Amino acid sequence: MTTTTVRQILETKGAGAHAVSPAVSVFDALAVMAKHDIGAVLVTENDHLTGIFTERDYARKLVLKGLSSKEATVGELMTPNVCTITPSHTVDEVMNIMTENRFRHLPVVERGKIVGIVTIGDVVKSIIVQQEETISHLSSYIAGDITN
């Protein structure tokens, strides 16, 4: 069985990620997230990753504090110092990072450039595909359909 990498996930789902400036209003960032049916946007300045803004940031940092989404900026509420991964990380490594840190979204950076974002859904989907392939392979082996 081969180990799936982040590069393979991005090849399947598509590279790239949606990003906003830290100066953008929370309302406008939420509009981007709603338009693309995503749970997070990267926060960038001059193509440099400065943070991530997630639904969790919105719920815990804006709503619970009684702030206005049209007045607050993403820069005020984003999660700075974002943990990133590379295309060479394996699905197992990404799952461990997500589980240990309670992340649902990890930006993928290669040579200092943002090349995509991997979500917990992407990881789960990849694991399911791997398991289905393993089950199929073992079923064929048990049935004697595999030739060496």
Side-chain angles (χ1 to χ4, degrees):
M1 180 171 96
T2 61
T3 302
T4 303
T5 63
V6 169
R7 185 176 317 281
Q8 291 168 303
I9 290 175
L10 293 179
E11 287 170 358
T12 302
K13 80 175 265 185
H18 297 283
V20 297
S21 157
V24 166
S25 74
V26 168
F27 183 86
D28 289 341
L30 291 171
V32 170
M33 292 162 64
K35 177 182 178 185
H36 299 287
D37 194 25
I38 55 177
V41 288
L42 301 181
V43 184
T44 60
E45 283 187 287
N46 303 319
D47 293 328
H48 176 20
L49 182 65
T50 59
I52 188 168
F53 180 72
T54 68
E55 292 168 332
R56 185 179 288 173
D57 291 324
Y58 172 70
R60 295 183 181 177
K61 297 177 185 175
L62 185 113
V63 174
L64 290 178
K65 293 180 180 181
L67 301 175
S68 165
S69 62
K70 290 191 177 184
E71 294 172 8
T73 65
V74 169
E76 296 174 271
L77 303 176
M78 71 181 186
T79 300
N81 306 317
V82 181
C83 178
T84 62
I85 55 175
T86 67
S88 61
H89 273 89
T90 66
V91 168
D92 290 341
E93 291 170 330
V94 173
M95 180 60 86
N96 286 332
I97 292 168
M98 288 180 161
T99 302
E100 289 173 15
N101 297 286
R102 301 180 55 103
F103 296 148
R104 296 178 186 167
H105 306 86
L106 284 172
V108 184
V109 177
E110 186 172 40
R111 294 185 200 100
K113 182 180 179 207
I114 301 165
V115 295
I117 189 166
V118 172
T119 68
I120 188 69
D122 299 328
V123 173
V124 169
K125 182 178 177 181
S126 174
I127 290 169
I128 289 170
V129 167
Q130 283 180 352
Q131 289 176 344
E132 287 172 345
E133 289 172 358
T134 299
I135 290 167
S136 175
H137 178 77
L138 290 172
S139 294
S140 294
Y141 178 77
I142 290 168
D145 294 339
I146 294 180
T147 57
N148 289 335

